[in-house]
Amino acid sequence: MVLAKMRETAEFHLGRVITNAVVTVPGHFHDSERQATKEAGALCGLNILRIVNETAAAAIAYTLDTRITDERKVLILDLGGGAFDVTLFAIWDKIIEVVATASDSDLGGEDFDNRLVDHFTAEF
């Protein structure tokens, strides 16, 4: 349903039919969840070319307009709707390598909001 709506929105804005897509998913998605995402894309008429972790997508976006010739370590944090994903990348000359990654499914979205509320309630 979500992919169908996103396809519809993209087609409206681009003025043409969309058949191929690259989809980002949370870093903690298992193979079965990734496969389900591909199948959902097929159900709405999309050919899913690649499934990319959200943190990797952020690293790719970072390299698009940044000229990096020396190696850099870039830490990307994804405080999403239900999990907190962290990935450390080594980036040089448009090459992106995952150095380390971790996820906490108990810290994100509503969990994070509730902890902030608790903290500031106690603070004030």
Side-chain angles (χ1 to χ4, degrees), residues 4-24:
K5 179 62 178 170
M6 293 308 298
R7 177 185 180 183
E8 185 180 296
T9 301
E11 288 176 341
F12 175 79
H13 287 287
L14 296 174
R16 62 184 173 95
V17 175
I18 303 296
T19 56
N20 296 316
V22 174
V23 177
T24 62

Side-chain angles (χ1 to χ4, degrees), residues 13-56:
H13 287 287
L14 296 174
R16 62 184 173 95
V17 175
I18 303 296
T19 56
N20 296 316
V22 174
V23 177
T24 62
V25 296
H28 62 273
F29 261 33
H30 301 290
D31 288 341
S32 60
E33 292 167 307
R34 291 168 185 272
Q35 184 59 39
T37 302
K38 284 184 180 181
E39 291 170 8
L43 286 173
C44 70
L46 284 173
N47 175 31
I48 305 298
L49 300 172
R50 185 163 291 185
I51 303 266
V52 180
N53 286 351
E54 291 168 337
T55 53

